[in-house]
Amino acid sequence: MGRMFWAGRSAALYLAAWLMLGLMLAGLLNAATGAGIPGSLLFALPLMLVYASVCGFSSYYLCRAYPLATKSLRSVLVVFFVTAASAASLWCAAAVAWAAFWRWLAPSMGGVQLSPPVAAVMFGVGVLLYGMTACAHYLALEFERARRLETRELELKLLAQDAELRMLRTQIDPHFLFNSLNSISALTSIDADAARDMTLQLAGFFRHTLGLEAHRKVLLSDEVELTQRFLAIEQVRFGPRLAFACEMADDAARCLLPPMILQPLVENAVKHGIGQLPQGGVVRVHAVRAGSQLKLRVENDVDPDDGAPGKGGGVGLANVRQRLAAVYGIDASVHATRDGAIFRVDLILPADMGD
């Protein structure tokens, strides 16, 4: 429907332009031959509309057959000049016949007398109009080609972004699985039942994440639920040493974000924070919506005597940065800071409500 509308409007504008040219030609003929306004209009308007159709169709196919990108400019000019001269000659011949027809049909109205100077002017106008029509077609074709290239470039960009997101997402599962298998291996010699429970929890976690696609977004509430599933696996090993607290506003919970964004941050908090403390600690997630932004914070207790700020960012934190940059560009940011015995990661991204 859209294409038909635009094609119809373009055709209407094209015909309107040629009608204006026909009125101008009628005025010139009236002034040059004294044929009168009615006779000049009856002569000029039909003749101009016929020539508009001839110029439109023939120049369009010639522009298609002689694209500027592949044909030499000299050959294009020669072909169009010969064609324009031929079309203008035929137009002048048709004008002579048309004038004779009107003189025979309505001799009382007078008629246009095509003297050699008038015919020469019509020939020059015909060549000029054909050339202008060809230029208009070339501009339209170049515009169409540029639009196709822009669309193709956008499609390729989206495909590349999707491939990058899939690659970054695939880094998370092996990384998490490696750490979990190490934990299960450590438990097998200490508590076989706990190792079995952790294995079942791990299977359930991967079953839940199997349907998550890297290019689709999930609700923040679902992302937090997935994080809790991960922590349930880790709590089999850490027991009461590992605690979790979440503060999430209702409007923030309905925001959309890439899947498994919080999980690598929470994994880092457990492995490099809580896991290094004999007494354990708390992993805290805070989420709030501030206007058009969604602000997330993941923080955990760390050893205050360990003076290496940001220790353990590794694959997880770098992966989160790259994924958010791929999805949101400069509209998202990730900042990791250390404040005494607290290590925190702040994420700021657009508040996507899926509207």
Side-chain angles (χ1 to χ4, degrees), residues 94-107:
V96 172
W98 186 239
F101 172 76
W102 274 109
R103 286 197 302 273
W104 170 80
L105 182 66

Side-chain angles (χ1 to χ4, degrees), residues 326-343:
V327 176
Y328 301 109
I330 61 174
D331 293 330
S333 62
V334 181
H335 300 284
T337 57
R338 170 81 176 265
D339 183 11
I342 300 295
F343 180 77

Side-chain angles (χ1 to χ4, degrees), residues 146-165:
R147 187 171 58 180
R148 285 200 306 268
L149 289 176
E150 183 179 355
T151 302
R152 180 59 178 165
E153 182 180 356
L154 180 60
E155 291 175 351
L156 291 175
K157 182 178 179 181
L158 291 175
L159 289 174
Q161 183 187 73
D162 185 64
E164 181 181 5
L165 288 174

